[in-house]
Amino acid sequence: MSFIHPLSDVASSSIGEGTKVWQFVVILSGARIGKDCNICAQTLIESDVIMGDRVTLKSGVQLWDGTRIEDGVFIGPNVTFTNDLFPRSKKYPDQFSGITVKKNASIGANATLLPGITIGEYAMVGAGAVVTQDVPAGAVVAGNPAKVIRYVTI
């Protein structure tokens, strides 16, 4: 059974078994959330988001349409996802450029991810990094713009 805090606003009916949704979380109709996830306070998940199993989403994160999060991913506090490379008020692209985060990747606090990129399996994004291009599997990236500083042993 999943836990949904009474002070959250969950319109999606696709919340996996064992997932915890804490206070002041908004999950729009159509979002698909896996099993055993922990969705911390003050997060937003839009309709066209798919999140795998055992994902940790810390406070202050918004997942916009087109975002795909695979199993076992950790997303630190206040990580910024984007989905529109040329945003303008009241002008929307025909299709949003979502971000894909592959299995067991970790993203540190306050990192910013530009639209259309993929974070590879087991990759680690350092706190505060600005990720402007794909991150290879097992890479550790840091800085602005984020650069590979080493690789983890998988």
Side-chain angles (χ1 to χ4, degrees), residues 101-142:
V101 183
K102 298 287 194 174
K103 290 180 183 176
N104 301 308
S106 293
I107 303 171
N110 296 308
T112 298
L113 310 176
L114 292 188
I117 64 168
T118 297
I119 307 296
E121 289 187 12
Y122 292 94
M124 299 190 81
V125 175
V130 178
V131 183
T132 61
Q133 58 191 2
D134 290 349
V135 175
V140 178
V141 299

Side-chain angles (χ1 to χ4, degrees), residues 11-73:
S12 175
S13 60
S14 183
I15 308 291
E17 187 75 20
T19 288
K20 294 180 178 142
V21 178
W22 296 99
Q23 62 271 39
F24 313 118
V25 170
V26 175
I27 302 176
L28 300 182
S29 178
R32 296 191 336 223
I33 310 299
K35 297 180 287 189
D36 299 317
C37 295
N38 189 30
I39 302 173
C40 294
Q42 300 173 331
T43 57
L44 167 75
I45 300 174
E46 283 195 316
S47 301
D48 182 24
V49 171
I50 300 172
M51 182 185 298
D53 299 335
R54 299 173 314 284
V55 172
T56 297
L57 187 65
K58 298 304 274 183
S59 298
V61 176
Q62 298 84 39
L63 299 181
W64 308 110
D65 283 338
T67 303
R68 303 293 182 259
I69 309 293
E70 294 186 0
D71 296 345
V73 168

